[in-house]
Amino acid sequence: MKLPSDNVIRGPERAPNRSLFYALGYTEEQLGRPLIGVISAYSEIVPGHMNLDKITRSVKDGVLMNGGTPIMIPSIGVCDGIAMGHVGMKYSLPSRELIADSVESMAIAHGIDALVLVPNCDKIVPGMIMGALRLNLPTILVSGGPMLAGQNDSGSLSLSSLFEAVGSYKANMITEAELCQIEQDACPSCGSCAGMYTANSMHCLTEAIGIALPGNGTTPEPYSERQRLAKASGVAIMELLRKGIRIKDIINEKSINNAITCDMALGCSTNTVLHLLAIATEAGIDVDLNIFNEISERTPNLCHLAPAGPTHMEDLFMAGGVAAVQKELAKKDLLDLDLMTVTTKTVGENIEPIKTYDNGAVRSIDDPYSEVGGLAILYGNIAEHGSVVKRSAVSDEMLKHEGPARVFDSEDDAIRTIYEGGIKPGDVVVIRYEGPKGGPGMREMLNPTSALAGMKLDKSVALITDGRFSGASRGAAIGHVSPEAALGGAIGIIEEGDIISIDIPNYQLNLKISDEEYAKRMENYQPKETNPMTGWLNRYRRMVAGSHKGAVLE
């Protein structure tokens, strides 16, 4: 079997290339083995990545044990929590494209034969997968794993608890001393933040789609089992290479549907819609946004992890992890169990031996939280191309809501008004010009949603935006409204006091004005020139597609 590395280090013409490998300290014996790229996002600025040097080392051990030559290649990664609430968040989603480009560039430039992806947080996971799909090499992903939950007198904590505590403090519900104590307690270890936020959602979905070993979704980062999983991943990549199993043999339309099904059962982040669409695009698969509602209609929601409920990732791990959810779904034939995975076994073979435990983190398929899935795509006259809400994190009284619009042309203006107590029960906060182009970069807006939750307004106030929300957001937070305001979308014609109608069970989001008034406003609407940016975000703004296409670059 001819390998990509043959083009780099084989034959007399490649003597100069080999010389540079020798300069790196590689031996002739090492260059006689397959070159395995270990793409590591280790850094000292992301809590989820601070331990990836150890995960990377364990992956390399596994590769060495099974006859390969591991080569660590670094990747960037933005911490969404640290970037939240300021201009830094504009760089979060766009960095996904930089990561994909860098994986493609480094692997092709250096003749890498197979890939082990070692990410942990949010868009780093899909970014690496997108780059790997362009290469179609044997690929396996092992993430760093989730953080342990914090603890205080009131119970378990996670990062969303702290963001909500800020809202409580602004509303004079807690003291500054209490806020500071939660600040110390919320994030007790390395790892991706402890709830079913975007990072952990993506960990679970890599397992569900078949490109990560069982346990990858939920094994906590501080546990030694995570190191064993990394070593096993290094061993497994060599088997994939020998058997010629490539990433596109695993990621296909059926496995993406499996992932969406698990997404609905787990109650994952709304950002998974963006990332699964982007992954599908790189795989050459045309995924219609409506498939999310179609799968949701037949998939019960089985989990209410933080922010939707009191359980955290370690609870899901103890219940049996993603496999526990898959076993429940399999009882009603909701998954394709015959699909190939990176174990070289099928989904069904992978989950059959897994032991599951009833600790409250995963409900039975016969006793779900709801008969429909955790996400919903809403359409209407202000969301022609769709919008998305984490239905499982919406209180029953907000599933249907009508209220007056409170309109803001940036997150900064909205959060200022929220902190000042300017939002009242019944309001619908509209935040626009925060989309992929308008932002640019489609900022996550955890501060507004968490502030409202901390002020106990999450059961009476809704938010809609052409930007996006964190996986840690809860309440009637409807994001990804498309077309966005900067592209002339109807979210831009909403005026202060207009009545907004939200009907999540019927997938509707509408502005309640007459057809004549709607047509008049749309005819006269000129998007504002907002948020001028320098640097590469200007290029991103020119090239990025709408959120209904996964915000990929065109």
Side-chain angles (χ1 to χ4, degrees), residues 383-444:
E384 180 185 355
H385 295 157
S387 60
V388 61
V389 62
K390 189 171 184 175
R391 172 166 43 189
S392 60
V394 179
S395 61
D396 288 344
E397 53 265 55
M398 290 299 290
L399 290 172
K400 291 187 176 183
H401 178 78
E402 288 190 0
R406 302 297 313 280
V407 182
F408 303 94
D409 287 343
S410 73
E411 176 192 9
D412 310 275
D413 291 343
I415 193 64
R416 190 178 304 113
T417 299
I418 292 170
Y419 283 161
E420 291 171 353
I423 301 300
K424 306 302 180 187
D427 286 348
V428 178
V429 176
V430 178
I431 306 175
R432 58 196 181 191
Y433 295 102
E434 291 285 4
K437 287 184 181 290
M442 205 178 183
R443 285 195 283 186
E444 281 185 351

Side-chain angles (χ1 to χ4, degrees), residues 38 40 42 50-65 70 72 116 118 142 226-228 230-232 234:
V38 183
S40 175
Y42 165 71
M50 62 180 281
N51 209 34
L52 292 187
D53 57 336
K54 299 178 180 64
I55 299 289
T56 301
R57 192 178 308 123
S58 292
V59 168
K60 293 173 71 176
D61 287 345
V63 172
L64 287 167
M65 283 190 285
M72 194 282 287
V116 183
V118 188
V142 55
R226 179 60 66 172
Q227 301 298 328
R228 296 195 295 274
K231 291 175 184 177

Side-chain angles (χ1 to χ4, degrees), residues 196 218 265-267 301-306 309-322 324-325 328 357-364 367 369:
M196 187 56 81
T218 59
L266 287 161
N301 176 233
L302 305 180
C303 300
H304 268 190
L305 282 81
T311 52
H312 293 85
M313 294 304 295
E314 61 202 76
D315 302 304
L316 180 55
F317 169 72
M318 295 304 297
V322 174
V325 175
E328 290 300 317
Y357 303 91
D358 183 7
N359 65 352
V362 181
R363 284 198 173 183
S364 162
D367 182 32
Y369 284 101

Side-chain angles (χ1 to χ4, degrees), residues 434-452:
E434 291 285 4
K437 287 184 181 290
M442 205 178 183
R443 285 195 283 186
E444 281 185 351
M445 288 179 274
L446 180 55
N447 283 347
T449 58
S450 297
L452 291 172

